Amino acid sequence: QVQLVESGGGLVQAGGSLRLSCAASGRTFSSYSMGWFRQVPGKEREFVATISWGGGATNYADSVKGRFTISRDNDKNTVYLQMNILKPEDTAVYYCAAKRRGVSGNVLAYEYWGQGTQVTVSS
């Protein structure tokens, strides 16, 4: 069982930066691949970024590639999403999620989810 709690969301102007954190409970955090997803009202939850259990493999949605960076600190049981050059279209509730085995951009592959944190980018 893994419990996830996101933090770091807020209101930022276009072009600005935010860093989201996701703190995980449980002693097996390092055995899970982690992902960030986002959702706006009326739309499906979409993939943002994913990182393997050891941090050696990452993958990003095309819409955030070059602007967002996913990382993790297994000693702190935390995964991060550094978001730079934010755009109004990045506005969404951001969720972190955990899955066993390899990285994936498929929302259905993830077993555990946090409650989400709101990110709002003003123009």
Side-chain angles (χ1 to χ4, degrees):
Q1 187 80 4
V2 177
Q3 292 185 326
L4 305 172
V5 179
E6 302 96 335
S7 62
L11 173 64
V12 63
Q13 288 188 332
S17 299
L18 280 176
R19 188 176 81 155
L20 304 183
S21 299
C22 174
S25 66
R27 294 174 291 178
T28 59
F29 172 74
S30 60
S31 64
Y32 287 83
S33 291
M34 301 296 295
W36 284 99
F37 294 79
R38 64 188 182 187
Q39 189 170 23
V40 298
K43 292 191 175 181
E44 293 186 352
R45 194 166 296 187
E46 68 171 7
F47 166 71
V48 175
T50 184
I51 188 167
S52 60
W53 65 271
T58 59
N59 195 18
Y60 297 90
D62 288 343
S63 59
V64 306
K65 205 170 290 184
R67 299 188 298 122
F68 290 11
T69 303
I70 189 171
S71 62
R72 67 190 295 163
D73 185 337
N74 287 342
D75 290 336
K76 295 182 178 179
N77 280 13
T78 303
V79 62
Y80 304 97
L81 185 68
Q82 178 66 44
M83 305 186 294
N84 298 328
I85 317 175
L86 282 160
K87 305 175 181 180
E89 51 264 44
D90 294 319
T91 295
V93 177
Y94 283 72
Y95 298 88
C96 71
K99 67 178 297 292
R100 292 180 177 88
R101 303 185 185 91
V103 296
S104 174
N106 184 352
V107 64
L108 298 177
Y110 287 79
E111 302 167 63
Y112 303 102
W113 292 84
Q115 83 290 347
T117 185
Q118 176 71 46
V119 171
T120 303
V121 184
S122 63
S123 58

